[in-house]
Amino acid sequence: AQTVTQSQPEMSVQEAETVTLSCTYDTSESDYYLFWYKQPPSRQMILVIRQEAYKQQNATENRFSVNFQKAAKSFSLKISDSQLGDAAMYFCAYRSSGFSGATNKLIFGTGTLLAVQP
Amino acid sequence: DAGVTQSPTHLIKTRGQHVTLRCSPISGHKSVSWYQQVLGQGPQFIFQYYEKEERGRGNFPDRFSARQFPNYSSELNVNALLLGDSALYLCASSLGLANYNEQFFGPGTRLTVL
């Protein structure tokens, strides 16, 4: 079974600075997807960024980028130029690639609570 | 376009009671998934439905059941509530089951069992 581990329960960053959130996972599959989700206090889970395991290039979305190390099974999220609105719980998630017709369920880590200091 | 909607927003029940949570997917989405998020933890997968059929089930007891209706909305039912069922219940919809289909989450239903 696949597992996702986030070893940083809480992180803090100064506004405009850069912060990196860590995530490791365990799987025997060779093809899969990895995600970072943001859950603000309003509770709505929002997709931040996704990475396909077969792609060597790290995904980027504006101020958000990932460092995907497939051999090490590591998937960290870097937030550049942090803003007050980035304060939230961040979840790392895994999804099997599988095949169409199978479930596309997500497996989540325990989350990292990010505080942004003005 | 409206996103995923869930009702009710909050719910308080006592042990042993039954509860029904509702979810309406994004228009055009045919798959609905349910997740349980206990305070301080990540969401745990409960069920996935596609075209009114159960396509996946997580490690939850038979007290948990769900169904999907012809309009693709879904209900999650929990019988004989326990204190440990207190959690945020999230619904997510996607176009289908393809591995590239993104899941969009609703705001959740906060269930408190006393």
Side-chain angles (χ1 to χ4, degrees):
Chain A
Q2 296 83 23
T3 59
V4 177
T5 301
Q6 293 179 251
S7 58
Q8 304 159 315
E10 297 181 15
M11 292 283 285
S12 183
V13 63
Q14 291 291 129
E15 199 174 2
E17 296 296 309
T18 296
V19 65
T20 298
L21 308 184
S22 301
C23 172
T24 58
Y25 59 94
D26 189 27
T27 184
S28 59
E29 299 175 332
S30 58
D31 198 13
Y32 46 86
Y33 292 82
L34 295 166
F35 305 85
W36 279 97
Y37 281 88
K38 172 185 177 181
Q39 188 177 41
S42 66
R43 307 183 314 204
Q44 192 103 25
M45 192 85 74
I46 304 165
L47 177 65
V48 174
I49 198 166
R50 63 184 276 170
Q51 173 81 41
E52 291 88 344
Y54 65 87
K55 290 185 177 180
Q56 293 186 346
Q57 186 173 6
N58 289 324
T60 61
E61 287 287 343
N62 300 313
R63 297 182 296 107
F64 299 87
S65 62
V66 299
N67 183 5
F68 173 50
Q69 301 290 328
K70 191 172 183 179
K73 297 180 181 176
S74 171
F75 182 61
S76 61
L77 174 69
K78 185 171 81 171
I79 306 175
S80 303
D81 186 25
S82 296
Q83 300 175 359
L84 294 177
D86 294 334
M89 182 71 83
Y90 286 82
F91 291 98
C92 178
Y94 174 103
R95 189 176 79 201
S96 296
S97 177
F99 57 91
S100 290
T103 178
N104 58 4
K105 69 178 183 182
L106 293 162
I107 299 170
F108 287 89
T110 52
T112 296
L113 182 61
L114 178 65
V116 181
Q117 308 299 329
Chain B
D1 285 342
V4 178
T5 59
Q6 293 186 242
S7 62
T9 305
H10 296 89
L11 203 52
I12 299 175
K13 293 285 188 178
T14 57
R15 282 177 295 176
Q17 284 189 314
H18 163 90
V19 69
T20 297
L21 310 180
R22 295 177 175 83
C23 171
S24 292
I26 292 171
S27 178
H29 285 195
K30 298 182 178 181
S31 176
V32 169
S33 297
W34 287 95
Y35 293 82
Q36 180 196 63
Q37 187 179 8
V38 174
L39 191 64
Q41 297 184 19
Q44 297 290 318
F45 172 74
I46 309 176
F47 286 110
Q48 183 167 28
Y49 277 77
Y50 175 69
E51 290 283 14
K52 302 180 288 296
E53 292 187 1
E54 182 182 304
R55 291 306 189 101
R57 183 184 184 114
N59 188 24
F60 281 80
D62 292 343
R63 299 185 296 106
F64 288 76
S65 63
R67 55 179 176 170
Q68 187 177 33
F69 299 99
N71 66 354
Y72 302 108
S73 67
S74 177
E75 282 184 354
L76 175 69
N77 296 282
V78 186
N79 292 322
L81 285 167
L82 303 175
L83 295 179
D85 295 331
S86 295
L88 180 67
Y89 287 85
L90 297 169
C91 173
S93 78
S94 61
L95 281 168
L97 295 178
N99 51 33
Y100 52 82
N101 287 155
E102 180 181 342
Q103 292 196 24
F104 294 84
F105 284 84
T109 293
R110 171 71 66 189
L111 172 65
T112 301
V113 182
L114 301 176

